Amino acid sequence: TTTRITYTMSSQELKVLLIEDNPGDAFLMKFYLGESTSPVFHVSHAETVKAALELLSENTFDIILSDMNLPDSFGVDTIKSILSNYPGNLVIVLTGLTDEEVGLETVRYGAQDFLTKGKFDSKVLISSVMFAFERFKLNKQIDSFTKQLDEENSRLDTIQKLLNVGYIEYDTKTQKIFRTDYTLKLTNQGP
């Protein structure tokens, strides 16, 4: 007998906020996301930015899928409204066929990705959402590690000043010497 092992992304559940005013497009997005069993997507729907901001004030979402042209917001202003009120959220922009350039611009304003309506099926939508989600999580971890490293470096600088010492490192591979700013100051060679 053969044992078959299948790998799934665990039975992960993700909360999605869909901001879409077109009923047909909203139905299609919900249908596509509903085809996924791992992860399972729980979709909340808003038809305007105002309604979306109200939902965001009451709930947390793992992913925000947003159309750019809504009754109360248009183009890049849509992404700006969402991220200025609720920074640090994963936003994927849904654009019409003629909005691809604007979709790229939204990425510059903080969207993780953009998808052009009519150019994807459920598999592409789900994989795009999951790639964006994983990339977003990794970027958050990198930001957290960078912050911790900055705090540790600041603590080390303070300790050096308190003890009136510095340190020198020698890299045997590159044969380069690194001296801390405080070491340079103590030896009258720097700031």
Side-chain angles (χ1 to χ4, degrees), residues 34-48:
E35 289 190 343
S36 176
T37 56
S38 182
V40 173
F41 294 101
H42 297 283
V43 181
S44 297
H45 180 219
E47 294 183 359
T48 63

Side-chain angles (χ1 to χ4, degrees), residues 56-139:
L56 283 163
S57 73
E58 300 163 0
N59 303 283
T60 57
F61 293 93
D62 299 300
I63 301 155
I64 300 170
L65 286 174
S66 179
D67 186 14
M68 292 182 47
N69 300 322
L70 299 163
D72 60 345
S73 184
F74 186 79
V76 179
D77 288 338
T78 303
I79 189 77
K80 287 181 181 178
S81 289
I82 295 166
L83 289 175
S84 66
N85 286 290
Y86 294 94
N89 276 289
L90 164 56
V91 178
I92 300 172
V93 173
L94 303 169
T95 69
L97 292 174
T98 58
D99 294 336
E100 285 189 30
E101 192 170 311
V102 178
L104 283 171
E105 190 177 348
T106 63
V107 171
R108 289 185 208 110
Y109 284 102
Q112 275 293 309
D113 203 351
F114 74 96
L115 296 167
T116 304
K117 293 180 188 179
K119 290 192 174 182
F120 57 86
D121 59 12
S122 63
K123 286 183 181 182
V124 171
L125 174 64
I126 291 165
S127 65
S128 294
V129 166
M130 290 313 301
F131 286 140
F133 180 72
E134 291 301 322
R135 186 172 54 245
F136 186 75
K137 279 190 347 187
L138 288 172
N139 285 336

Side-chain angles (χ1 to χ4, degrees), residues 155-166 182 186:
R155 198 170 301 138
L156 179 61
D157 288 344
T158 301
I159 290 169
Q160 288 180 87
K161 288 175 187 172
L162 286 171
L163 297 175
N164 204 29
V165 296
Y182 202 70
L186 288 172

